[in-house]
CSV table of all heavy atoms in Angstrom, one decimal:
chain,number,residue,atom,x,y,z
A,1000,ILE,N,95.8,73.8,103.5
A,1000,ILE,CA,95.6,75.3,103.5
A,1000,ILE,C,94.6,75.7,102.5
A,1000,ILE,O,94.8,75.4,101.3
A,1000,ILE,CB,97.0,75.9,103.3
A,1000,ILE,CG1,98.1,75.4,104.2
A,1000,ILE,CG2,96.9,77.4,103.3
A,1000,ILE,CD1,99.5,75.7,103.7
A,1001,THR,N,93.5,76.2,102.9
A,1001,THR,CA,92.4,76.6,102.0
A,1001,THR,C,92.3,78.1,101.9
A,1001,THR,O,92.2,78.8,102.8
A,1001,THR,CB,91.1,76.0,102.5
A,1001,THR,OG1,91.2,74.6,102.7
A,1001,THR,CG2,90.0,76.3,101.5
A,1002,LEU,N,92.3,78.6,100.6
A,1002,LEU,CA,92.1,80.0,100.3
A,1002,LEU,C,90.7,80.1,99.7
A,1002,LEU,O,90.3,79.2,98.9
A,1002,LEU,CB,93.1,80.5,99.3
A,1002,LEU,CG,94.6,80.5,99.7
A,1002,LEU,CD1,95.4,81.0,98.5
A,1002,LEU,CD2,94.8,81.3,100.9
A,1003,THR,N,90.0,81.1,100.1
A,1003,THR,CA,88.7,81.4,99.5
A,1003,THR,C,88.5,82.9,99.3
A,1003,THR,O,89.3,83.7,99.8
A,1003,THR,CB,87.5,80.9,100.4
A,1003,THR,OG1,87.7,81.5,101.7
A,1003,THR,CG2,87.5,79.4,100.6
A,1004,GLY,N,87.5,83.3,98.6
A,1004,GLY,CA,87.2,84.7,98.4
A,1004,GLY,C,87.7,85.2,97.1
A,1004,GLY,O,88.4,84.6,96.4
A,1005,LYS,N,87.3,86.5,96.9
A,1005,LYS,CA,87.8,87.2,95.7
A,1005,LYS,C,88.7,88.3,96.2
A,1005,LYS,O,88.6,88.9,97.2
A,1005,LYS,CB,86.6,87.9,95.0
A,1005,LYS,CG,85.6,86.9,94.5
A,1005,LYS,CD,84.4,87.7,93.8
A,1005,LYS,CE,83.3,86.7,93.4
A,1005,LYS,NZ,82.2,87.4,92.7
A,1006,SER,N,89.7,88.6,95.3
A,1006,SER,CA,90.6,89.8,95.5
A,1006,SER,C,90.4,90.7,94.4
A,1006,SER,O,91.0,90.5,93.3
A,1006,SER,CB,92.1,89.3,95.7
A,1006,SER,OG,92.9,90.5,95.8
A,1007,HIS,N,89.6,91.8,94.6
A,1007,HIS,CA,89.4,92.7,93.4
A,1007,HIS,C,90.7,93.5,93.1
A,1007,HIS,O,90.7,94.1,92.0
A,1007,HIS,CB,88.3,93.7,93.8
A,1007,HIS,CG,86.9,93.0,94.0
A,1007,HIS,ND1,86.3,92.5,92.9
A,1007,HIS,CD2,86.2,92.7,95.1
A,1007,HIS,CE1,85.1,91.9,93.3
A,1007,HIS,NE2,85.1,92.1,94.6
A,1008,LYS,N,91.6,93.4,94.0
A,1008,LYS,CA,92.9,94.1,93.6
A,1008,LYS,C,93.7,93.3,92.6
A,1008,LYS,O,94.5,93.8,91.9
A,1008,LYS,CB,93.8,94.3,94.9
A,1008,LYS,CG,93.1,95.1,95.9
A,1008,LYS,CD,94.0,95.2,97.2
A,1008,LYS,CE,93.4,96.0,98.3
A,1008,LYS,NZ,92.1,95.5,98.7
A,1009,LEU,N,93.4,92.0,92.5
A,1009,LEU,CA,94.1,91.1,91.6
A,1009,LEU,C,93.3,90.8,90.3
A,1009,LEU,O,93.8,90.7,89.2
A,1009,LEU,CB,94.5,89.7,92.2
A,1009,LEU,CG,95.4,89.8,93.4
A,1009,LEU,CD1,95.7,88.4,94.0
A,1009,LEU,CD2,96.8,90.4,93.0
A,1010,TRP,N,92.0,90.7,90.5
A,1010,TRP,CA,91.1,90.4,89.4
A,1010,TRP,C,89.7,90.8,89.7
A,1010,TRP,O,89.3,90.8,90.8
A,1010,TRP,CB,91.1,88.9,89.0
A,1010,TRP,CG,90.5,88.6,87.7
A,1010,TRP,CD1,89.5,87.7,87.4
A,1010,TRP,CD2,90.9,89.1,86.4
A,1010,TRP,NE1,89.2,87.7,86.1
A,1010,TRP,CE2,90.1,88.5,85.4
A,1010,TRP,CE3,91.9,90.0,86.0
A,1010,TRP,CZ2,90.2,88.8,84.1
A,1010,TRP,CZ3,92.0,90.2,84.6
A,1010,TRP,CH2,91.2,89.6,83.7
A,1011,LYS,N,88.9,91.2,88.6
A,1011,LYS,CA,87.6,91.8,88.8
A,1011,LYS,C,86.5,90.8,89.3
A,1011,LYS,O,85.5,91.2,89.7
A,1011,LYS,CB,87.2,92.5,87.5
A,1011,LYS,CG,87.2,91.5,86.3
A,1011,LYS,CD,87.2,92.3,85.0
A,1011,LYS,CE,87.4,91.4,83.8
A,1011,LYS,NZ,87.6,92.1,82.6
A,1012,LYS,N,86.8,89.5,89.1
A,1012,LYS,CA,85.8,88.5,89.6
A,1012,LYS,C,86.5,87.3,90.0
A,1012,LYS,O,87.7,87.3,90.4
A,1012,LYS,CB,84.8,88.2,88.4
A,1012,LYS,CG,85.5,87.9,87.1
A,1012,LYS,CD,84.5,87.9,85.9
A,1012,LYS,CE,85.2,87.7,84.6
A,1012,LYS,NZ,84.2,87.7,83.5
A,1013,ASP,N,85.8,86.1,90.1
A,1013,ASP,CA,86.5,84.9,90.5
A,1013,ASP,C,87.7,84.6,89.7
A,1013,ASP,O,87.7,84.7,88.4
A,1013,ASP,CB,85.5,83.7,90.4
A,1013,ASP,CG,84.5,83.7,91.6
A,1013,ASP,OD1,84.8,84.2,92.6
A,1013,ASP,OD2,83.4,83.2,91.4
A,1014,LEU,N,88.8,84.3,90.3
A,1014,LEU,CA,90.1,83.9,89.6
A,1014,LEU,C,89.9,82.6,88.8
A,1014,LEU,O,89.5,81.6,89.3
A,1014,LEU,CB,91.2,83.7,90.5
A,1014,LEU,CG,91.8,85.0,91.2
A,1014,LEU,CD1,92.9,84.6,92.2
A,1014,LEU,CD2,92.3,86.0,90.2
A,1015,PRO,N,90.1,82.7,87.4
A,1015,PRO,CA,90.1,81.4,86.7
A,1015,PRO,C,91.2,80.5,87.2
A,1015,PRO,O,92.2,80.9,87.9
A,1015,PRO,CB,90.4,81.9,85.3
A,1015,PRO,CG,90.1,83.3,85.2
A,1015,PRO,CD,90.4,83.8,86.6
A,1016,LYS,N,91.1,79.2,86.9
A,1016,LYS,CA,92.0,78.2,87.4
A,1016,LYS,C,93.5,78.5,87.0
A,1016,LYS,O,94.4,78.3,87.8
A,1016,LYS,CB,91.7,76.8,86.9
A,1016,LYS,CG,90.3,76.3,87.4
A,1016,LYS,CD,90.0,74.9,86.9
A,1016,LYS,CE,88.8,74.3,87.5
A,1016,LYS,NZ,88.4,73.0,87.0
A,1017,TYR,N,93.7,79.0,85.7
A,1017,TYR,CA,95.1,79.2,85.3
A,1017,TYR,C,95.7,80.4,86.0
A,1017,TYR,O,96.9,80.4,86.3
A,1017,TYR,CB,95.1,79.4,83.8
A,1017,TYR,CG,94.6,80.8,83.3
A,1017,TYR,CD1,95.4,81.9,83.2
A,1017,TYR,CD2,93.3,80.9,82.9
A,1017,TYR,CE1,95.0,83.1,82.7
A,1017,TYR,CE2,92.8,82.1,82.4
A,1017,TYR,CZ,93.7,83.2,82.3
A,1017,TYR,OH,93.2,84.4,81.9
A,1018,MET,N,94.9,81.4,86.5
A,1018,MET,CA,95.5,82.5,87.2
A,1018,MET,C,95.9,82.0,88.6
A,1018,MET,O,96.9,82.4,89.2
A,1018,MET,CB,94.4,83.6,87.4
A,1018,MET,CG,94.2,84.4,86.1
A,1018,MET,SD,93.1,85.8,86.3
A,1018,MET,CE,92.9,86.3,84.6
A,1019,ILE,N,95.0,81.1,89.2
A,1019,ILE,CA,95.4,80.6,90.5
A,1019,ILE,C,96.7,79.8,90.3
A,1019,ILE,O,97.6,79.8,91.2
A,1019,ILE,CB,94.3,79.7,91.1
A,1019,ILE,CG1,93.1,80.6,91.4
A,1019,ILE,CG2,94.7,79.0,92.3
A,1019,ILE,CD1,91.8,79.9,91.8
A,1020,GLY,N,96.8,79.0,89.2
A,1020,GLY,CA,98.0,78.2,88.9
A,1020,GLY,C,99.2,79.1,88.9
A,1020,GLY,O,100.3,78.8,89.4
A,1021,PHE,N,99.1,80.2,88.2
A,1021,PHE,CA,100.2,81.1,88.1
A,1021,PHE,C,100.6,81.7,89.4
A,1021,PHE,O,101.8,81.7,89.8
A,1021,PHE,CB,99.8,82.3,87.2
A,1021,PHE,CG,101.0,83.3,87.0
A,1021,PHE,CD1,102.0,83.1,86.0
A,1021,PHE,CD2,101.0,84.4,87.8
A,1021,PHE,CE1,103.0,84.0,85.9
A,1021,PHE,CE2,102.1,85.3,87.6
A,1021,PHE,CZ,103.1,85.1,86.7
A,1022,MET,N,99.6,82.0,90.3
A,1022,MET,CA,99.9,82.6,91.6
A,1022,MET,C,100.5,81.5,92.5
A,1022,MET,O,101.5,81.7,93.2
A,1022,MET,CB,98.6,83.1,92.2
A,1022,MET,CG,98.8,83.7,93.6
A,1022,MET,SD,97.3,84.5,94.2
A,1022,MET,CE,96.3,83.0,94.5
A,1023,PHE,N,100.0,80.3,92.4
A,1023,PHE,CA,100.6,79.2,93.2
A,1023,PHE,C,102.0,78.9,92.8
A,1023,PHE,O,102.9,78.7,93.6
A,1023,PHE,CB,99.7,77.9,93.1
A,1023,PHE,CG,98.5,77.9,93.9
A,1023,PHE,CD1,97.6,76.8,93.9
A,1023,PHE,CD2,98.1,78.9,94.8
A,1023,PHE,CE1,96.4,76.8,94.6
A,1023,PHE,CE2,97.0,78.9,95.5
A,1023,PHE,CZ,96.1,77.8,95.5
A,1024,ASN,N,102.2,78.8,91.5
A,1024,ASN,CA,103.5,78.5,91.0
A,1024,ASN,C,104.5,79.6,91.3
A,1024,ASN,O,105.7,79.4,91.7
A,1024,ASN,CB,103.5,78.3,89.5
A,1024,ASN,CG,104.8,77.9,88.9
A,1024,ASN,OD1,105.3,76.8,89.1
A,1024,ASN,ND2,105.4,78.8,88.1
A,1025,PHE,N,104.0,80.9,91.3
A,1025,PHE,CA,104.8,82.0,91.6
A,1025,PHE,C,105.4,82.0,93.0
A,1025,PHE,O,106.5,82.3,93.2
A,1025,PHE,CB,103.9,83.3,91.4
A,1025,PHE,CG,104.7,84.6,91.5
A,1025,PHE,CD1,105.4,85.0,90.4
A,1025,PHE,CD2,104.6,85.4,92.6
A,1025,PHE,CE1,106.1,86.2,90.4
A,1025,PHE,CE2,105.3,86.6,92.6
A,1025,PHE,CZ,106.0,87.0,91.5
A,1026,PHE,N,104.5,81.6,94.0
A,1026,PHE,CA,104.9,81.6,95.4
A,1026,PHE,C,105.5,80.3,95.9
A,1026,PHE,O,106.3,80.3,96.8
A,1026,PHE,CB,103.7,82.0,96.3
A,1026,PHE,CG,103.3,83.4,96.2
A,1026,PHE,CD1,102.1,83.8,95.8
A,1026,PHE,CD2,104.2,84.4,96.6
A,1026,PHE,CE1,101.7,85.1,95.7
A,1026,PHE,CE2,103.9,85.8,96.5
A,1026,PHE,CZ,102.6,86.1,96.1
A,1027,PHE,N,105.1,79.2,95.2
A,1027,PHE,CA,105.4,77.9,95.8
A,1027,PHE,C,106.1,76.9,94.9
A,1027,PHE,O,106.2,75.7,95.1
A,1027,PHE,CB,104.1,77.2,96.4
A,1027,PHE,CG,103.3,78.1,97.3
A,1027,PHE,CD1,102.0,78.4,96.9
A,1027,PHE,CD2,103.9,78.6,98.4
A,1027,PHE,CE1,101.2,79.2,97.8
A,1027,PHE,CE2,103.1,79.5,99.2
A,1027,PHE,CZ,101.8,79.8,98.9
A,1028,ASP,N,106.7,77.4,93.8
A,1028,ASP,CA,107.4,76.6,92.8
A,1028,ASP,C,108.5,75.7,93.5
A,1028,ASP,O,108.6,74.5,93.1
A,1028,ASP,CB,108.0,77.4,91.8
A,1028,ASP,CG,108.7,76.6,90.7
A,1028,ASP,OD1,108.1,75.6,90.3
A,1028,ASP,OD2,109.8,77.0,90.3
A,1029,SER,N,109.2,76.2,94.5
A,1029,SER,CA,110.3,75.4,95.1
A,1029,SER,C,109.9,74.9,96.5
A,1029,SER,O,110.7,74.4,97.2
A,1029,SER,CB,111.5,76.3,95.2
A,1029,SER,OG,111.3,77.4,95.9
A,1030,ASN,N,108.6,75.1,96.9
A,1030,ASN,CA,108.2,74.6,98.2
A,1030,ASN,C,107.3,73.5,98.1
A,1030,ASN,O,106.1,73.6,98.0
A,1030,ASN,CB,107.5,75.8,99.0
A,1030,ASN,CG,107.3,75.5,100.5
A,1030,ASN,OD1,107.0,74.5,100.8
A,1030,ASN,ND2,107.6,76.6,101.3
A,1031,LYS,N,107.8,72.3,98.2
A,1031,LYS,CA,107.0,71.0,98.0
A,1031,LYS,C,106.0,70.9,99.1
A,1031,LYS,O,104.9,70.3,98.9
A,1031,LYS,CB,107.9,69.8,97.9
A,1031,LYS,CG,108.9,69.9,96.8
A,1031,LYS,CD,108.3,69.9,95.4
A,1031,LYS,CE,109.3,70.0,94.3
A,1031,LYS,NZ,108.7,70.1,93.0
A,1032,ASN,N,106.4,71.3,100.3
A,1032,ASN,CA,105.5,71.1,101.4
A,1032,ASN,C,104.2,71.9,101.2
A,1032,ASN,O,103.1,71.3,101.4
A,1032,ASN,CB,106.2,71.5,102.7
A,1032,ASN,CG,105.3,71.4,103.9
A,1032,ASN,OD1,104.7,70.4,104.2
A,1032,ASN,ND2,105.1,72.5,104.7
A,1033,ILE,N,104.3,73.1,100.8
A,1033,ILE,CA,103.1,73.9,100.6
A,1033,ILE,C,102.3,73.4,99.4
A,1033,ILE,O,101.1,73.4,99.4
A,1033,ILE,CB,103.5,75.4,100.4
A,1033,ILE,CG1,104.2,76.0,101.6
A,1033,ILE,CG2,102.2,76.2,100.1
A,1033,ILE,CD1,103.3,76.1,102.8
A,1034,GLN,N,103.0,73.0,98.3
A,1034,GLN,CA,102.4,72.5,97.1
A,1034,GLN,C,101.4,71.3,97.5
A,1034,GLN,O,100.3,71.2,96.9
A,1034,GLN,CB,103.4,72.0,96.1
A,1034,GLN,CG,104.2,73.0,95.4
A,1034,GLN,CD,105.2,72.5,94.5
A,1034,GLN,OE1,105.2,71.3,94.1
A,1034,GLN,NE2,106.2,73.3,94.1
A,1035,GLN,N,101.8,70.5,98.4
A,1035,GLN,CA,101.0,69.3,98.8
A,1035,GLN,C,99.8,69.7,99.7
A,1035,GLN,O,98.9,68.9,99.8
A,1035,GLN,CB,101.9,68.3,99.5
A,1035,GLN,CG,103.0,67.7,98.6
A,1035,GLN,CD,104.0,66.9,99.5
A,1035,GLN,OE1,103.9,66.8,100.7
A,1035,GLN,NE2,105.0,66.4,98.8
A,1036,ARG,N,99.8,70.9,100.2
A,1036,ARG,CA,98.8,71.3,101.1
A,1036,ARG,C,97.8,72.4,100.6
A,1036,ARG,O,96.7,72.5,101.1
A,1036,ARG,CB,99.5,71.8,102.4
A,1036,ARG,CG,100.4,70.8,103.1
A,1036,ARG,CD,101.2,71.4,104.1
A,1036,ARG,NE,100.4,72.1,105.2
A,1036,ARG,CZ,100.9,73.1,105.9
A,1036,ARG,NH1,102.1,73.6,105.7
A,1036,ARG,NH2,100.1,73.7,106.8
A,1037,ILE,N,98.3,73.2,99.7
A,1037,ILE,CA,97.5,74.4,99.3
A,1037,ILE,C,96.4,74.0,98.4
A,1037,ILE,O,96.5,73.1,97.5
A,1037,ILE,CB,98.4,75.4,98.6
A,1037,ILE,CG1,97.7,76.8,98.5
A,1037,ILE,CG2,99.0,75.0,97.3
A,1037,ILE,CD1,97.7,77.6,99.7
A,1038,LEU,N,95.2,74.7,98.5
A,1038,LEU,CA,94.1,74.5,97.6
A,1038,LEU,C,93.3,75.8,97.6
A,1038,LEU,O,93.3,76.6,98.6
A,1038,LEU,CB,93.2,73.3,97.9
A,1038,LEU,CG,92.5,73.3,99.2
A,1038,LEU,CD1,91.0,73.7,99.0
A,1038,LEU,CD2,92.5,71.9,99.9
A,1039,PHE,N,92.6,76.0,96.5
A,1039,PHE,CA,91.7,77.2,96.4
A,1039,PHE,C,90.2,76.6,96.3
A,1039,PHE,O,90.0,75.7,95.5
A,1039,PHE,CB,92.0,78.0,95.2
A,1039,PHE,CG,91.3,79.4,95.2
A,1039,PHE,CD1,91.9,80.5,95.7
A,1039,PHE,CD2,90.0,79.5,94.8
A,1039,PHE,CE1,91.3,81.7,95.8
A,1039,PHE,CE2,89.3,80.7,94.8
A,1039,PHE,CZ,90.0,81.8,95.3
A,1040,LYS,N,89.4,77.1,97.1
A,1040,LYS,CA,88.0,76.7,97.1
A,1040,LYS,C,87.0,77.7,96.6
A,1040,LYS,O,87.0,78.8,97.2
A,1040,LYS,CB,87.6,76.2,98.6
A,1040,LYS,CG,86.2,75.6,98.6
A,1040,LYS,CD,85.9,75.1,100.0
A,1040,LYS,CE,84.6,74.3,100.1
A,1040,LYS,NZ,84.3,73.8,101.4
A,1041,TYR,N,86.4,77.4,95.5
A,1041,TYR,CA,85.4,78.4,95.0
A,1041,TYR,C,84.1,78.2,95.8
A,1041,TYR,O,83.7,77.0,96.0
A,1041,TYR,CB,85.1,78.1,93.5
A,1041,TYR,CG,86.2,78.4,92.6
A,1041,TYR,CD1,87.1,77.4,92.2
A,1041,TYR,CD2,86.4,79.7,92.1
A,1041,TYR,CE1,88.2,77.7,91.3
A,1041,TYR,CE2,87.4,80.0,91.3
A,1041,TYR,CZ,88.3,79.0,90.9
A,1041,TYR,OH,89.4,79.3,90.1
A,1042,GLU,N,83.5,79.2,96.2
A,1042,GLU,CA,82.2,79.2,97.0
A,1042,GLU,C,81.0,79.3,96.1
A,1042,GLU,O,80.9,80.3,95.3
A,1042,GLU,CB,82.2,80.2,98.1
A,1042,GLU,CG,83.4,80.0,99.1
A,1042,GLU,CD,83.4,81.2,100.1
A,1042,GLU,OE1,82.9,82.2,99.8
A,1042,GLU,OE2,84.0,80.9,101.1
A,1043,GLY,N,80.1,78.3,96.2
A,1043,GLY,CA,78.9,78.3,95.4
A,1043,GLY,C,79.1,78.2,93.9
A,1043,GLY,O,78.3,78.7,93.1
A,1044,GLN,N,80.1,77.4,93.5
A,1044,GLN,CA,80.4,77.3,92.0
A,1044,GLN,C,80.1,75.8,91.6
A,1044,GLN,O,80.6,75.4,90.6
A,1044,GLN,CB,81.8,77.6,91.8
A,1044,GLN,CG,82.1,79.1,92.1
A,1044,GLN,CD,81.4,80.0,91.2
A,1044,GLN,OE1,81.3,79.8,90.0
A,1044,GLN,NE2,80.9,81.1,91.8
Side-chain angles (χ1 to χ4, degrees):
I1000 302 162
T1001 304
L1002 298 179
T1003 56
K1005 299 178 183 178
S1006 175
H1007 294 291
K1008 299 177 181 63
L1009 297 178
W1010 193 241
K1011 55 197 172 188
K1012 47 190 176 182
D1013 283 333
L1014 287 176
K1016 292 180 180 180
Y1017 74 89
M1018 290 185 184
I1019 295 172
F1021 180 83
M1022 184 175 67
F1023 280 180
N1024 185 66
F1025 190 77
F1026 287 119
F1027 309 121
D1028 181 43
S1029 60
N1030 193 318
K1031 301 299 181 184
N1032 180 50
I1033 299 293
Q1034 290 177 18
Q1035 294 169 1
R1036 301 167 58 205
I1037 192 80
L1038 65 99
F1039 192 96
K1040 186 173 182 180
Y1041 291 97
E1042 297 178 338
Q1044 298 295 318

